[in-house]
Each structure stands twice: as C-alpha cells, then as structure tokens.
Amino acid sequence: MKKTSTRLADGRELIYYDLRDDTVRDAVDRRPLERTVTTSEVREDVLLGDSVAIASHRQGRTYHPPAGECPLCPSQGDRLSEIPDSSYDVAVFENRFPSLAGDSGRCEVVCFTSDHDASFKDLTDDQARLVLEAWTDRTAELSHLPSVEQVFCFENRGAEIGVTLGHPHGQIYAYPFTTPRTALMLRSLAAHKEATGGENLFDAVLARELAGERVVLETGHWVAFVPYAAHWPYEVHLYPRRRVPDLLALDEEARTEFPQVYLELLRRFDRIFGEGEPPTPYIAAWHQAPFGALEEFDGVVREDFALHLELFTIRRTSGKLKFLAGSESGMNVFINDVPPERAAERLREVASS
C-alpha cells in the first residue's frame, strides 16, 4: 500500500491509498473553493446523559446529484470533483459538510473505488483489503488528535438508509466522547466481569453463538452470526476469533482472510429477498474500543473490548421497510418481525455456490 497526503483547494486534507507503490499523485485541485466554514457544536442531554451534534451548515450539503456531477468520481477534463486525480484506488478526505469539526471531532469520507456504478461487494479481494488498511490507518491517525476519544468507521448504502450520494463510499466519525452505544457495552462488560470473577462478556457471547444455530459462516479467523437479540430484521455481527480492541490490533492472518469473509456477507445480503429485487440497503458499522480513559467502567481496560462489525438492513421483506416507530423511537425498545434463527437460516441458504 502507498499513502499520499495532499490538500484540496479549501485546505481540507485528501489521502490517496494505492495498491501500487509506484503510483504518483500530484494532481492539483483546480476548483475556486473558499475555506470551509462549519457550525458544528456538541451539546449534552443532561437527562439522558448522551450528546447531540448540532450542525446547521449540513442543510446545504450535496443532495442526490446526477451521476455526471458526482463529487466522489475522479475529476475528468473540466468536470472537477472532490478527487482532483483522474483515477484512484481508495481516497479519503475531510468531509466538506461535517457533523463534527474542530474541538468537536472530525468527519471523513472514504471512497472505496472510482467506479461510480459499483458497490463494496463488487470489489476484488485486493481492493477490499486496501479499504481495510485505509480504515486502520485513519483509526491510528485520528486517535492521536487531542479532541478525539473514539473512531467509528461505517458505510451507509441505499436511499432507504438516507444516502445522498450514490457513489460507493463510507464515512469515519472521530468523536470527542465515548458514544452511548459503546458506553452501554462497556457497562455490561464491567458488570459481567465483576459478577463472574473476571470472565469476558464478549468471549462468552461468541462462545454461545458458536455452540448455537445462528452462525452464518465461520473461517479460521472470523465468525459471523445473527445475535440472539437481533434488533433488525436481518442483522449479522462479524467477530475476529482472537479478541482485539480495534482494527490496529488485527493480525496479518485475520487481515488476509477478511476480504473473502466480508465480501461473501455483502453478496448474501443482496440475495436475501430473491432475484430481481433492488440492492439491499444496509448499514455496516465497526465497533472499536475508545481511546479515552475508561475509569467510569470499573475494572475494564481497552483490551477487554472486542472489535466487531455489525451489518444490518432496514428491509424486513420484499418491498417493506422496518420503520422505527413509537416503541423504538420513543422508548428504544425494538420489536423484530424476523426471528434471528430464521434470519440466520436464510443467510446460510443464499451462500455463494
């Protein structure tokens, strides 16, 4: 992998990640851009104990542009985009309309490929491995920023999810706090550790799933399963067999095996609802241990946390979506119409031949 860092016309950072070591990246951003002005602010909800990012400047962000005006495609002739070069393997840049900025963190866009009509599942093993290396490198770099406590790499796919750009891409949020979802995991981890005299809750969950009927696929270094209490109609958690706290700690064997496992899962997701169905909308979310202090979670250290990816869709059946209505949105109590055991069975049925 070759990494090249440069600057866009308005001062934002752009990083190319290339498969070839002899690739030269010297294209200049020719757009007449002014410096980006953001109004991002993080406010604490004192009743719930969580945080909300207020970012009014995002109201003016690019919204469903025609394919010929996609800002994530490479620049060609007089059609200038966020990527000044005429091609790229993987490109990462600071979001022009960030939810978090400055002392409130940082937001980046990760372009998986220059092919506008592709999807992550269409990548080759080498391309998927390059994306993994980009996620890992950005996690390392962002963790050193003084305002950052947790790094979140994720992909939203599909208009149903709320995606405003059709080009295959994901995002990275670098939060100035430990996110509420991670804090819940850490509290459960601490309580289980104390109650069992030191047993790790993530290890116990993985062992239970391996002994049950919800495993979707397993390899020498990865296990994918539908969780016992899945929130979403089709939801898969992907764990490395060796517990590590973040992407940086994955060993070479797990990194090498990751593309085959992850690409297979994504391809199965597109086959859940049968032939002729539109691509399955999904969210793919990496959960990593925070880089901040963990004193509030008694007895827990970073190494107790288990890196894992959660992949889920809001489509519950052909032509129907799972909406977060009263119970989910009002009280955060999910109601799942698809039994996790049946979801796992279906995901095994649609395995690649």
Side-chain angles (χ1 to χ4, degrees), residues 175-195:
Y175 298 102
F177 49 80
T178 297
T179 61
R181 188 175 178 87
T182 302
L184 287 173
M185 294 184 197
L186 291 169
R187 292 189 187 102
S188 297
L189 190 61
H192 186 84
K193 190 174 185 178
E194 181 180 5

Side-chain angles (χ1 to χ4, degrees), residues 208-216 340-341 344-345 348:
R208 181 183 70 178
E209 296 295 352
L210 280 167
E213 57 182 316
R214 290 178 297 274
V215 172
V216 174
E341 293 73 22
E345 181 182 23
R348 290 192 297 267

Side-chain angles (χ1 to χ4, degrees), residues 183-242:
L184 287 173
M185 294 184 197
L186 291 169
R187 292 189 187 102
S188 297
L189 190 61
H192 186 84
K193 190 174 185 178
E194 181 180 5
T196 61
E199 182 183 60
N200 184 279
L201 180 57
F202 286 110
D203 292 351
V205 167
L206 185 56
R208 181 183 70 178
E209 296 295 352
L210 280 167
E213 57 182 316
R214 290 178 297 274
V215 172
V216 174
L217 66 86
E218 55 179 309
T219 63
H221 300 279
W222 294 90
V223 179
F225 59 87
V226 177
Y228 171 74
H231 289 57
W232 299 95
Y234 291 91
E235 175 180 343
V236 174
H237 293 190
L238 178 62
Y239 278 67
R241 287 186 185 269
R242 184 178 70 87

Side-chain angles (χ1 to χ4, degrees), residues 105-289:
R106 175 158 157 154
C107 292
E108 298 182 342
V109 176
V110 183
C111 300
F112 302 140
T113 171
S114 59
D115 185 351
H116 179 85
D117 297 318
S119 183
F120 200 119
K121 69 177 177 60
D122 301 317
L123 301 182
T124 65
D125 286 3
D126 286 343
Q127 289 175 311
R129 169 66 185 261
L130 185 62
V131 175
L132 175 63
E133 296 307 324
W135 284 331
T136 304
D137 181 70
R138 297 315 301 153
T139 296
E141 292 290 330
L142 294 170
S143 71
H144 295 306
L145 297 180
S147 62
V148 172
E149 190 166 311
Q150 185 172 359
V151 178
F152 175 46
C153 307
F154 65 100
E155 179 192 2
N156 299 326
R157 188 182 81 159
E160 300 95 329
I161 297 292
V163 175
T164 57
L165 297 175
H167 195 103
H169 73 288
Q171 300 181 65
I172 301 176
Y173 277 23
Y175 298 102
F177 49 80
T178 297
T179 61
R181 188 175 178 87
T182 302
L184 287 173
M185 294 184 197
L186 291 169
R187 292 189 187 102
S188 297
L189 190 61
H192 186 84
K193 190 174 185 178
E194 181 180 5
T196 61
E199 182 183 60
N200 184 279
L201 180 57
F202 286 110
D203 292 351
V205 167
L206 185 56
R208 181 183 70 178
E209 296 295 352
L210 280 167
E213 57 182 316
R214 290 178 297 274
V215 172
V216 174
L217 66 86
E218 55 179 309
T219 63
H221 300 279
W222 294 90
V223 179
F225 59 87
V226 177
Y228 171 74
H231 289 57
W232 299 95
Y234 291 91
E235 175 180 343
V236 174
H237 293 190
L238 178 62
Y239 278 67
R241 287 186 185 269
R242 184 178 70 87
R243 172 167 41 90
V244 294
D246 52 38
L247 290 164
L248 283 68
L250 283 175
D251 58 29
E252 181 59 28
E253 290 80 6
R255 292 180 182 279
T256 299
E257 202 175 72
F258 171 77
Q260 303 100 53
V261 176
Y262 188 48
L263 292 173
E264 171 63 14
L265 282 177
L266 293 181
R267 289 162 187 161
R268 291 190 193 190
F269 257 58
D270 269 357
R271 291 195 289 268
I272 292 173
F273 304 104
E275 296 295 329
E277 287 291 318
T280 301
Y282 65 74
I283 292 174
W286 280 109
H287 292 264
Q288 305 191 78

